[in-house]
Amino acid sequence: MKLSVIVLSFVLVGMAFAGPAGPASENQEKKGADAKEARWQGTIVRISQNDSTISVRGGQSNMESTEKVIRFDSSTQWTKQGKPAEQGEFKEGSFVIVLGNPSENGEFHATRIDLRLPR
C-alpha cells in the first residue's frame, strides 16, 4: 500500500512539472511569436514606393532620434489612430507608430503602421 501511494505521488508531481499539453501549449507558442513584435515610433523622413520602405527618425521612446528604415508590403496594415487608413495619407513629417518584426539581418518589417496626430 505504501509503495502505491509513493508511486502515485511521484506521478502527480511529474505531471505538475510537465506543464500543460495540447491546445494550451500551442497558445503559449503563439504568444512567444507575438512577443517578438517590436515597436518603433517617430517622424517619417522619407518614403520610397519603389523600394517599399519608409525612413522613420525616432526610437522606442519619445526622446530618441535614431533613423530606421522600415519595410512594408501588401500585408502591412495602414491605420490612422487605430482605424483603417489609406497609404496616401502618410506623408514626410507625419508622426507614426510602427509595429513589426525585426529580422536577424537588421531589417524591420512592418505589420502595422499607425498615423498619429502631429505633436
Side-chain angles (χ1 to χ4, degrees):
M1 180 75 175
K2 278 185 172 180
L3 182 61
S4 61
V5 171
I6 292 171
V7 170
L8 181 60
S9 34
F10 277 124
V11 169
L12 291 175
V13 169
M15 288 174 57
F17 283 113
S25 63
E26 290 175 14
N27 288 338
Q28 288 177 345
E29 289 175 11
K30 288 179 184 176
K31 285 181 184 177
D34 291 340
K36 292 181 182 177
E37 187 171 71
R39 178 180 186 210
W40 193 264
Q41 65 184 20
T43 305
I44 297 175
V45 179
R46 275 178 297 290
I47 301 174
S48 173
Q49 295 294 336
N50 295 337
D51 297 332
S52 297
T53 62
I54 61 172
S55 297
V56 176
R57 181 173 291 127
Q60 294 178 342
S61 69
N62 288 338
M63 302 306 290
E64 293 184 43
S65 62
T66 306
E67 189 171 317
K68 183 177 278 294
V69 175
I70 297 169
R71 298 203 169 274
F72 59 88
D73 59 18
S74 59
S75 68
T76 302
Q77 296 176 356
W78 299 85
T79 59
K80 182 176 184 178
Q81 297 181 347
K83 297 176 184 168
E86 295 295 321
Q87 185 177 350
E89 294 182 56
F90 294 74
K91 308 280 184 204
E92 293 175 5
S94 299
F95 186 83
V96 293
I97 296 176
V98 181
L99 299 176
N101 301 308
S103 65
E104 284 141 20
N105 62 359
E107 290 184 351
F108 192 96
H109 181 267
T111 55
R112 179 178 167 194
I113 303 175
D114 190 54
L115 183 61
R116 294 300 174 115
L117 293 174
R119 292 187 163 199

